[in-house]
Amino acid sequence: MNAVEVRGLSRSFDGREILNGVSFTVGHGEVFGYLGPNGAGKTTTIRILLGLLKPGAGEVQVLGRDLATDDDARAKVGVLFENNGLSDRMSATANLAYYAGLYSMDEPAERIDDLLALVGLADRRDDLVGTYSTGMKRRLGIARAILHRPEIVFLDEPSSGLDPGAQRMVRDLIVELSRREEMTVFLNSHHLDEVQRICSSVAILAGGRIRAFDSVANLTGARDRPAVTVTLADPDDRAGASGVIETLPFVAGCEPDGRGLHCTLSDPGATPDLITALVGAGFRIEEVRRSSRSLEEIYIEHVGSAGGGA
Amino acid sequence: MKTLGVIAGREMRLALRNRSILITAAIFAIWFPVMSAFGVVAGAGGDAATIAGGIAAITIPVGIFMGYIFCADAFLREKRDGTIETLLCTPVSLRRLWEGKAIGVAVPAYVMTLISATVTIAAISTIAGITVVTEPLLLLHLATIVPVWIVASAGLIGAAQLALGMRENQILGFLLIFGFIFIIIGLQEVAPGGPGISPVTEGILAVAGIALVAFARFTAGRVTRERIVLTIP
């Protein structure tokens, strides 16, 4: 059983189709990135998964249960929306203690202490949250979301509105939590770099449909479409080298790339043979670099540079 | 039941920390009874029972308005800032969340109403030179009828604030307050003996108050998570 199962999910608002036949799964322990432009329906999907909205058609299950009707199942789920779910007029400790009460946690003091230390807010624990910076609130929001040790946590744009330093801190925190707490993470984001760094699999949503759904390694070609960029000592040798490379049986394609050549290999282990063939033909090689497509390239390919919102 | 106390306790603590709402409530708790005291004394002459009836008639509208003031902090604020969405993802049922918040609103509203009633009694005693504090029906009214009506109004206003958008809430809040006051005046008018305090009037108010609490529970039961989420601004 997967942590999240979505089959044929559709939903419209006022006759406008937001989701249309969306299907994907998230395995236990995965860090899953749900990508898409603004207005693509990412938050609507999360709200349906969390039981806050009803699906128009299709089925959704989280941990094998329907969160819309199963109050107890929600105790196994954590969530962080953009507003962090915190009261500005309460301290960090009081906010966490409140949620501990809602989750009927026994003796939560030690857990609260641990989490405040983990998110670096132990020394500000008794200050009102209203005095915190946006980044501090987000870190406290993450601590709140995992306070009750959920099996899966949904993070809706956790880096939104943060400066680069705070974004990195939040990103590191998600990785650390995923490792330490062994929980499934459903990350809703349009920060492609963030998703590529921390997610094991992604789904790209655009125009209400899933445009791509695979592991990050497969999507970026690191596994199925290995490629290398060969930089020659003399750029004028590119045409000759290209002629040699194109005769090699393990090369699927070769194109000029700056001072060198970008070669797509049909055999992932053929890079040494490629180097041997070029050196044997008398070409001087300055650098050979394994290359892969970035998630941004994949995203643009599926969504379009204009965003492609629904 | 534990979560009910957690939610209600938090709302009460937040209400006590909201200086602007406390100041608004305190001004209303003092200004309204003092202004009303002259009218009550002039209308009742020197009769202590009639004066007690006048005080009873004032306290329920005061309590309802206090509930409205505190509802804005407990229900509307969390909807406006989106915190309610996170709360709806906890294992707490929507009904329990509503109940906890309604109680958390009703308790400070009731305390402020008792302060207001004390000011009213003190003002009338000073103006008319009559002691009404020992009227048993007035004490019964303050101890039972007023809290029931505050719970009913806080529950209904809270349910409406959860279910409606911001613009609709501005309109409906006032409609509910005036609706409640209209019901109270109407009940007192139709009661045998007319306006004032009597066992029959108190009985009618008690039954109507309990019916309104039941109606508030029924209304809150019709509010859905989807309705709340789709009306978050």
Side-chain angles (χ1 to χ4, degrees):
Chain A
M1 185 186 70
N2 288 304
V4 175
E5 296 210 17
V6 178
R7 285 188 294 271
L9 177 63
S10 297
R11 176 70 207 230
S12 301
F13 290 109
D14 301 325
R16 182 169 163 256
E17 198 170 61
I18 301 296
L19 300 172
N20 181 7
V22 168
S23 299
F24 62 87
T25 57
V26 181
H28 282 282
E30 267 190 54
V31 180
F32 175 79
Y34 197 47
L35 295 169
N38 290 330
K42 302 190 299 292
T43 299
T44 299
T45 309
I46 281 198
R47 283 173 167 173
I48 292 172
L49 286 169
L50 292 168
L52 297 173
L53 297 178
K54 289 179 183 164
E59 285 180 55
V60 297
Q61 283 197 328
V62 176
L63 304 173
R65 294 157 91 168
D66 179 2
L67 299 186
T69 54
D70 194 336
D71 287 346
D72 293 336
R74 288 200 296 275
K76 296 179 178 182
V77 176
V79 60
L80 176 71
F81 289 115
E82 196 175 344
N83 77 344
N84 302 310
L86 303 166
S87 170
D88 281 353
R89 284 183 279 137
M90 291 164 69
S91 68
T93 311
N95 265 292
L96 295 184
Y98 173 57
Y99 279 93
L102 296 183
Y103 284 95
S104 302
M105 290 174 68
D106 294 323
E107 315 261 338
E110 195 179 331
R111 173 74 171 162
I112 290 172
D113 288 345
D114 277 355
L115 286 175
L116 286 174
L118 181 71
V119 299
L121 293 171
D123 57 334
R124 297 286 305 270
R125 56 182 302 145
D126 295 322
D127 294 352
L128 293 182
V129 170
T131 65
Y132 283 17
S133 68
T134 309
M136 291 164 75
K137 285 182 184 178
R138 191 58 48 84
R139 280 185 278 147
L140 183 60
I142 291 173
R144 179 203 52 70
I146 60 156
L147 174 69
H148 55 292
R149 294 189 172 87
E151 290 180 29
I152 180 168
V153 63
F154 291 84
L155 305 174
D156 191 9
E157 304 284 4
S159 302
S160 173
L162 301 183
D163 61 51
Q167 281 181 21
R168 182 174 182 168
M169 203 175 288
V170 166
R171 192 168 63 225
D172 293 345
L173 193 54
I174 294 169
V175 173
E176 169 67 7
L177 291 174
S178 159
R179 187 188 58 76
R180 197 179 103 155
E181 308 270 332
E182 295 179 346
M183 63 179 66
T184 307
V185 178
F186 189 111
L187 179 64
N188 187 358
S189 176
H190 52 219
H191 282 84
L192 302 170
D193 181 53
E194 174 181 84
V195 170
Q196 184 160 9
R197 281 167 191 257
I198 66 177
C199 292
S200 48
S201 62
V202 297
I204 298 175
L205 179 74
R209 293 174 182 274
I210 295 292
R211 306 293 174 173
F213 167 52
D214 209 333
S215 68
V216 172
N218 280 347
L219 276 176
T220 56
R223 203 172 285 165
D224 288 350
R225 295 181 57 189
V228 290
T229 301
V230 180
T231 306
L232 299 164
D234 182 357
D236 293 338
D237 287 344
R238 280 181 302 176
S242 180
V244 171
I245 289 170
E246 282 171 359
T247 63
L248 300 172
F250 49 79
V251 175
C254 181
E255 294 172 356
D257 182 12
R259 291 182 61 198
L261 296 163
H262 180 79
C263 308
T264 308
L265 307 178
S266 52
D267 177 358
T271 306
D273 299 328
L274 174 71
I275 296 168
T276 304
L278 284 172
V279 171
F283 295 104
R284 292 171 62 223
I285 297 171
E286 191 169 288
E287 183 187 19
V288 177
R289 186 162 39 88
R290 192 180 293 277
S291 62
S292 61
R293 294 193 300 168
S294 70
L295 196 56
E296 185 177 344
E297 289 173 285
I298 312 289
Y299 180 86
I300 296 297
E301 181 183 310
H302 288 287
V303 175
S305 55
Chain B
M1 288 303 285
K2 191 182 164 191
T3 52
L4 190 68
V6 170
I7 298 164
R10 184 235 198 186
E11 296 307 334
M12 284 185 254
R13 279 192 295 277
L14 284 176
L16 289 174
R17 287 178 192 177
N18 192 327
R19 204 176 298 166
S20 62
I21 281 185
L22 281 179
I23 290 171
T24 306
I27 289 171
F28 189 78
I30 295 167
W31 172 81
F32 187 74
V34 169
M35 297 308 290
S36 306
F38 293 99
V40 171
V41 173
D47 181 47
T50 311
I51 287 176
I55 294 169
I58 292 169
T59 49
I60 295 181
V62 168
I64 291 168
F65 190 72
M66 292 295 172
Y68 177 67
I69 291 173
F70 286 107
C71 271
D73 195 43
F75 289 94
L76 212 52
R77 173 185 45 78
E78 290 201 332
K79 184 159 179 181
R80 200 166 36 229
D81 67 22
T83 306
I84 191 73
E85 198 169 15
T86 303
L87 294 174
L88 292 175
C89 295
T90 64
V92 179
S93 69
L94 182 51
R95 180 180 288 279
R96 181 52 54 89
L97 193 63
W98 168 79
E99 286 170 344
K101 284 180 171 291
I103 292 169
V105 164
V107 171
Y110 181 52
V111 170
M112 293 304 289
T113 306
L114 288 181
I115 292 170
S116 177
T118 306
V119 173
T120 310
I121 291 166
I124 287 173
S125 299
T126 305
I127 295 165
I130 295 169
T131 304
V132 290
V133 74
T134 51
E135 279 294 323
L137 274 177
L138 179 60
L139 294 176
L140 183 73
H141 178 86
L142 292 173
T144 58
I145 308 298
V146 170
V148 168
W149 276 77
I150 290 175
V151 167
S153 60
L156 261 179
I157 293 168
Q161 288 181 339
L162 286 177
L164 299 175
M166 291 297 130
R167 197 183 305 161
E168 293 91 337
N169 263 313
Q170 285 176 339
I171 300 165
L172 196 91
F174 284 106
L175 286 179
L176 276 174
I177 289 176
F178 287 116
F180 270 107
I181 293 170
F182 179 77
I183 291 170
I184 294 161
I185 293 168
L187 288 172
Q188 288 175 329
E189 288 294 334
V190 299
I197 196 164
S198 70
V200 176
T201 314
E202 293 306 292
I204 290 171
L205 285 173
V207 170
I210 291 166
L212 277 171
V213 170
F215 179 64
R217 274 182 65 84
F218 172 80
T219 306
R222 305 272 86 71
V223 180
T224 62
R225 287 182 152 77
E226 174 150 334
R227 176 77 201 166
I228 296 169
V229 169
L230 292 180
T231 51
I232 290 174

